[in-house]
Amino acid sequence: MTAHLVLMCGPAGSGKSTHARRLEAAGWVRVSVDDLAFAEGFTAHPLPDDVAQRVAADLRERVAALLDEGRDVVVDSSFWSRASRDEYRRLGAERGVVAQVVFVSTPREVALARVAARTGAHAHDVLLAPDVAAAYYDGFQVPTPDEGPLEVVPGG
């Protein structure tokens, strides 16, 4: 049986983790960049460059290992750029898995309000300065169907 790979996609505060947890409850393995960073003691973004590179490498390695085991994986990360999505599509394709992007479409004001309410208490409560959160939202590259399998879900 072929494993499945879902890439949760959306700016900070869009609701990616909420959707990813639903898949996790259905038996998928959820791998999260925020969980990895939080485990190292980081409660705010952006991460220092060296930490971001280490966490990104760890995330890729974990996803590859899980797919190699035939596990269904949901990657809980922003996938803010097409290049980042393409990287994981290649990772899946190398293992015979077609990655599906699930884009959580959330109005700007809703996503920014959610981020503003964060306290850094847990991995999915990552602190972002308001200007950083706005820049992340505004710089987000929305996925399009020409990239490959895409599902758009409402995030608020």
Side-chain angles (χ1 to χ4, degrees), residues 70-90:
R71 306 287 302 271
D72 294 335
V73 181
V74 56
V75 185
D76 187 359
S77 187
S78 69
F79 290 104
W80 74 271
S81 68
R82 181 174 182 153
S84 65
R85 297 185 293 269
D86 285 347
E87 176 185 350
Y88 274 78
R89 283 189 190 93
R90 282 189 297 276

Side-chain angles (χ1 to χ4, degrees), residues 33-137:
V33 68
D34 290 337
D35 286 341
L36 296 174
F38 193 80
E40 291 195 29
F42 293 92
T43 59
H45 285 220
L47 297 171
D49 287 343
D50 63 323
V51 174
Q53 290 172 6
R54 186 173 63 251
V55 166
D58 190 15
L59 188 75
R60 282 189 304 274
E61 289 171 13
R62 288 176 188 227
V63 171
L66 288 162
L67 291 175
D68 288 344
E69 293 172 10
R71 306 287 302 271
D72 294 335
V73 181
V74 56
V75 185
D76 187 359
S77 187
S78 69
F79 290 104
W80 74 271
S81 68
R82 181 174 182 153
S84 65
R85 297 185 293 269
D86 285 347
E87 176 185 350
Y88 274 78
R89 283 189 190 93
R90 282 189 297 276
L91 183 92
E94 291 167 359
R95 290 156 175 81
V97 177
V98 176
Q100 177 186 9
V101 171
V102 175
F103 172 59
V104 184
S105 179
T106 305
R108 185 179 195 273
E109 62 277 4
V110 172
L112 295 181
R114 288 176 180 164
V115 171
R118 293 179 175 178
T119 63
H122 54 81
H124 299 281
D125 197 37
V126 173
L127 299 171
L128 287 172
D131 60 325
V132 172
Y136 282 0
Y137 192 97

